[in-house]
Amino acid sequence: MAKMLEIRNLHAAVDGKEILKGLSLTVNAGEVHAIMGPNGSGKSTLSYVLAGRAGYEITSGAIVYNGEDLNALPPEARAAKGVFLAMQYPVEIPGVTTLTFLKTALNAQRRARGEKELDAMSVLKLVRTKASALRVSEEMLKRALNVGFSGGEKKRLEILQMSLFEPSLAVLDETDSGLDIDALRLVAEGVNALRSPDRAMLVITHYQRLLDYIVPDKIHVLSAGRIVKEGGKELALELEAKGYEQIVKDAA
Amino acid sequence: MNAPGAAEDFRAKGVPHRRVEAWKYTDLKSAVDVEQVASATAAQWTLESEGAEPIDFHDGGFAGAMGEASMAFAEAGFGLRVAKAGKVRVNFATPGQARVRLVVEPGAVLEYIETAEGDGFQNIGLDVSIGEGAAFTHVRIAREGRGVRIEDVNATVAARGTYRLQAAHFGSELSRLELKIALNGESAAAHLSGVSVLDARHADITTHIVHAHGDTESTQLFKHVAAGRARAVYQGRITVAEGADGSDSRQTAKALLLDERAEADLKPELEIFADDVKCAHGAAVDDLDADSLFYLRARGIPDDEARGLLIRAFLGEAFDGASDETRALLWAPVEEAL
């Protein structure tokens, strides 16, 4: 299988403090990997480093995506090349309607790839075909981006974007946080519908619960900025039973 | 006050400067002296009006020191009275001083669309009298300039009358729009909103709303974007007179600083002499939100475009209450400036 993402001995710092301390992992096209870890292990830092957020500095190592060094690219170029980060805390942007935002983002990505931009009507049609399965209403599309959305609505909109942008590499950062069981199921169904042989996913989560719905091919346990244990989907159950502390101790 | 009285008073006080509290952020004395103000030529303008008849422009009052100067020294001006429905478009394109007097009769409607442009010293004094149940809309576009540009507005609003301001300011070396609006009867209202888009320019909006009667309402929303060595100023004073119970006033001023050298001075001020009133005010100075910017970029929107989107969204709120036509009129120069 083709390597889609290869992270090699990655060290990254925020405000001069090293958070990732030699993280390595490989995700092939068509695979779904989960990264599990306790609070403060570096999960969100990893997601921001992958998306290219300013202030998250790679001090050594490399992120290779489809054979290309991601570190050299600004966030918008990564998005255009098919990297998508579903955020733990999607931001609220008053004054920009959700539909306008979707159109602007979709066309910016298309433009960057040298594809023809879509007119407002085509975007609306495309969004509608994707929105109903995720129960994103027309009314939500007309509202300002994420403003006044419930936790579940925000996460559904993240998955709607993923389905609209059709990324090759999707990183889901704590997509389960703040969701009740019905919302979680709906979001997981949306994610599962996007599993495909040419797409890789990295599901970052604290809890095993999400992995009952999005079943990963492989699980990596992150602790103190490093992968300390890897295994199949059954590792999630072991973590649930023993807790992070014991697993990390066993691995040491 | 008559012209000689105003002249004597203005000369005695001199050109306002930064040690005068009301002019703290607009040091006019650094740019002009008393003689320049006293001897300024008559401003020239182009005027189109419908539904209005001419009246004498000499009467009326002023909000602040430069309104007084316009009363004292302006040799030119125009006055219009509207009995039913009027629309007036005026462009002040030259330096100099002028007085304008508008009378909106009870139940009448007037839309006053004003542009100011050019360099040099421009000082316009406007007096507006809004009758019972009358509606006055003041649309103002002050284009980017290099001189000193001032407008001083003194308005009185009778019962159920409305003063609505929608402004777009692009700044000058020093510029100021100063308004004093007296809400003199039940359900009289003032709704003021506007934007300042400044690149290395100065724009000052100073308002004073007097709730002289109970059950009156005022709302204000001003948004400023400042780049380069720009300075955005908002001073909003609300006076609720003794006995003016049931008055409701809200004011919000926000500034977005795009540059470390840019500055915003936002100063709400409340003087309340009545018991049963609602007064809400808020002021905030920020730079572009890093989380929002990252979110947009992570979705593929390039940095410049993402910044533009956030700036437009920030400014756009100020025109939410405007008609489509007015919004388009005010937005076109905003787009040019961004």
Side-chain angles (χ1 to χ4, degrees):
Chain A
M1 266 189 290
K3 272 185 200 171
M4 183 152 283
L5 176 70
E6 190 183 6
I7 301 176
R8 292 184 203 142
N9 192 25
L10 186 69
H11 292 252
V14 183
D15 291 332
K17 185 171 181 260
E18 188 169 66
I19 307 287
L20 300 183
K21 301 168 180 171
L23 187 152
S24 297
L25 63 85
T26 300
V27 187
N28 295 322
E31 291 179 349
V32 174
H33 288 210
I35 295 191
M36 299 187 71
N39 291 331
S41 57
K43 299 193 301 293
S44 280
T45 298
L46 174 62
S47 71
Y48 284 146
V49 167
L50 288 170
R53 180 160 195 165
Y56 290 74
E57 195 198 348
I58 294 180
T59 49
S60 71
I63 304 171
V64 181
Y65 165 71
N66 280 337
E68 188 176 7
D69 180 10
L70 267 194
N71 193 28
L73 301 175
E76 54 268 33
R78 300 183 195 200
K81 286 179 182 288
V83 177
F84 179 82
L85 170 62
M87 301 213 196
Q88 185 178 5
Y89 303 109
V91 299
E92 300 185 2
I93 304 188
V96 178
T97 69
T98 302
L99 190 61
T100 301
F101 159 74
L102 293 175
K103 175 173 178 272
T104 307
L106 184 64
N107 277 333
Q109 293 187 22
R110 293 179 66 92
R111 200 164 57 232
R113 290 192 294 261
E115 297 163 14
K116 195 167 171 282
E117 292 187 35
L118 299 178
D119 61 30
M121 209 39 174
S122 311
V123 173
L124 182 60
K125 276 186 192 159
L126 190 59
V127 170
R128 274 184 184 148
T129 61
K130 314 264 185 191
S132 59
L134 287 158
R135 294 196 207 146
V136 172
S137 64
E138 292 274 322
E139 192 263 332
M140 274 171 75
L141 296 173
K142 282 181 195 152
R143 269 149 63 185
L145 181 61
N146 286 321
V147 176
F149 286 24
S150 69
E153 286 174 330
K154 285 179 182 170
K155 295 298 170 79
R156 266 143 60 198
L157 188 65
E158 292 293 289
I159 304 308
L160 172 64
Q161 291 176 55
M162 180 171 150
S163 121
L164 191 63
F165 302 148
E166 301 181 322
S168 310
L169 173 66
V171 180
L172 286 78
D173 186 12
E174 308 263 358
T175 292
D176 49 336
S177 70
L179 295 187
D180 62 29
I181 199 73
D182 291 332
L184 180 67
R185 199 171 287 162
L186 189 65
V187 164
E189 278 168 18
V191 172
N192 286 329
L194 293 166
R195 291 179 90 140
S196 125
D198 4 290
R199 182 170 291 137
M201 293 191 197
L202 206 51
V203 179
I204 297 175
T205 182
H206 183 97
Y207 299 103
Q208 167 265 339
R209 189 179 71 152
L210 178 66
L211 304 182
D212 287 342
Y213 298 95
I214 304 172
V215 181
D217 299 298
K218 199 167 182 182
I219 294 177
H220 310 262
V221 179
L222 182 63
S223 173
R226 249 187 234 109
I227 302 295
V228 293
K229 193 175 169 74
E230 290 177 330
K233 61 181 185 233
E234 62 290 343
L235 182 55
L237 299 171
E238 195 187 336
L239 271 168
E240 190 74 2
K242 290 189 181 170
Y244 283 113
E245 211 174 315
Q246 191 59 45
I247 292 279
V248 169
K249 211 179 276 173
D250 291 351
Chain B
M1 189 181 281
N2 59 21
E8 198 180 319
D9 196 47
F10 181 80
R11 282 183 187 281
K13 284 187 268 190
V15 175
H17 51 79
R18 61 192 161 83
R19 284 183 302 281
V20 176
E21 187 59 26
W23 293 80
K24 189 175 174 185
Y25 308 110
T26 303
D27 189 13
L28 202 59
K29 203 176 175 179
S30 68
V32 286
D33 61 29
V34 170
E35 278 322 303
Q36 281 171 293
V37 174
S39 64
T41 53
Q44 291 169 37
W45 61 87
T46 54
L47 180 68
E48 289 169 50
S49 85
E50 46 192 86
E53 60 172 1
I55 53 170
D56 180 37
F57 67 82
H58 288 96
D59 295 341
F62 53 85
M66 294 312 289
E68 184 174 37
S70 74
M71 286 209 67
F73 308 116
E75 289 165 359
F78 61 88
L80 293 167
R81 190 183 76 92
V82 174
K84 280 188 181 150
K87 189 166 185 172
V88 173
R89 285 171 185 276
V90 62
N91 180 35
F92 294 102
T94 67
Q97 300 195 81
R99 285 288 302 175
V100 179
R101 183 161 170 256
L102 302 172
V103 174
V104 193
E105 297 284 2
V109 177
L110 172 60
E111 190 178 9
Y112 182 72
I113 301 166
E114 169 190 66
T115 49
E117 57 188 27
D119 303 330
F121 170 69
Q122 188 185 74
N123 185 33
I124 311 295
L126 171 62
D127 183 274
V128 190
S129 166
I130 299 164
E132 281 194 13
F136 175 67
T137 301
H138 183 185
V139 178
R140 176 175 163 85
I141 297 171
R143 298 192 190 280
E144 187 183 355
R146 281 189 170 67
V148 171
R149 187 184 294 146
I150 291 161
E151 177 159 290
D152 177 286
V153 181
N154 178 61
T156 57
V157 188
R160 296 177 306 285
T162 308
Y163 188 118
R164 193 177 288 279
L165 172 76
Q166 282 145 353
H169 285 186
F170 302 94
S172 200
E173 184 189 327
L174 285 176
S175 74
R176 170 144 154 153
L177 172 65
E178 180 165 356
L179 299 112
K180 182 180 181 185
I181 300 173
L183 303 174
N184 291 338
E186 193 179 344
S187 298
H191 300 292
L192 315 181
S193 65
V195 302
S196 299
V197 182
L198 310 175
D199 185 1
R201 293 281 179 269
H202 168 281
D204 169 345
I205 291 173
T206 295
T207 67
H208 183 193
I209 310 252
V210 182
H211 290 262
H213 196 283
D215 296 316
T216 49
E217 187 192 7
S218 67
T219 62
Q220 297 183 67
L221 176 60
F222 288 99
K223 298 278 190 103
H224 312 269
V225 171
R229 210 179 284 275
R231 187 169 196 181
V233 179
Y234 168 79
Q235 306 185 102
R237 188 166 146 211
I238 304 275
T239 303
V240 180
E242 200 179 332
D245 293 328
S247 293
D248 186 351
S249 103
R250 277 161 282 159
Q251 56 174 330
T252 303
K254 289 185 179 173
L256 201 53
L257 302 183
L258 302 182
D259 202 302
E260 279 178 14
R261 297 164 303 165
E263 181 176 332
D265 303 288
L266 311 176
K267 193 176 79 173
E269 195 183 340
L270 300 176
E271 302 170 318
I272 301 173
F273 303 104
D275 297 324
D276 177 24
V277 298
K278 276 190 265 181
C279 286
H281 62 88
V285 180
D286 278 313
D287 45 16
L288 276 180
D289 180 53
D291 289 338
S292 302
L293 197 57
F294 169 64
Y295 188 86
L296 295 175
R297 292 182 69 189
R299 295 301 180 251
I301 302 172
D303 189 47
D304 275 5
E305 197 181 345
R307 285 173 192 274
L309 199 65
L310 293 174
I311 292 168
R312 283 170 180 81
F314 170 81
L315 292 171
E317 193 195 354
F319 299 138
D320 277 352
S323 68
D324 288 352
E325 190 190 349
T326 303
R327 193 187 159 88
L329 196 67
L330 291 161
W331 198 254
V334 171
E335 278 296 333
E336 271 173 46
L338 288 175

